[in-house]
Amino acid sequence: MSKRFGEAMRLMRRRNGQDCETGFAMLKPHAAEHLDELIEEFHREEDDQGLRAWLLELIGEAGDPRALPLFVAHLDDERFGDWAIWGLEKLDTKEARTALYRHRSNKHT
């Protein structure tokens, strides 16, 4: 784990809202560099659903097709579905568009 990632995660876990925002802002421009760590943290975090949503947003910021399975897995999750859709739209690959099409088709059946 890089020093930047560790510090950003420490801040994002604090109770002070400004610290959380600072940690998020530290990672946002570097999300692609930390994709594997972000995915690992998303799976590891069980209690803080707000932090999980932020992690999913950062994973989407990475714009990496390796995140496709994570987004697809959370399409129907009422807590994270909007972020999963956003992540797939941001990916804008054939596979992501197909997943979105299927998801939207299933919603209207």
Side-chain angles (χ1 to χ4, degrees):
M1 177 183 309
S2 75
K3 186 176 179 179
R4 173 181 41 228
F5 186 82
E7 176 64 9
M9 289 307 303
R10 184 186 71 75
L11 288 169
M12 288 175 68
R13 284 192 168 92
R14 304 244 352 226
R15 296 288 176 227
N16 178 302
Q18 185 58 53
D19 288 345
C20 295
E21 291 281 348
T22 299
F24 181 85
M26 283 174 65
L27 282 179
K28 189 173 180 179
H30 304 284
E33 299 166 40
H34 297 289
L35 178 65
D36 294 331
E37 293 163 303
L38 289 165
I39 291 172
E40 185 177 319
E41 287 293 327
F42 179 85
H43 289 301
R44 184 180 308 153
E45 181 59 48
E46 295 178 3
D47 299 325
D48 189 338
Q49 300 307 308
L51 177 58
R52 289 188 88 205
W54 270 8
L55 291 167
L56 202 56
E57 182 179 354
L58 288 168
I59 292 165
E61 283 292 331
D64 190 311
R66 293 179 295 159
L68 179 83
L70 180 65
F71 295 138
V72 170
H74 288 88
L75 278 172
D76 292 321
D77 186 325
E78 66 182 52
R79 297 164 298 175
F80 306 117
D82 289 342
W83 286 117
I85 289 168
W86 178 81
L88 290 169
E89 289 172 344
K90 187 155 175 78
L91 282 179
D92 197 29
T93 63
K94 180 181 179 185
E95 295 83 5
R97 289 188 300 273
T98 299
L100 284 169
Y101 175 79
R102 286 183 180 148
H103 172 72
R104 290 173 176 147
S105 294
N106 290 336
K107 288 281 190 187
H108 299 293
T109 352

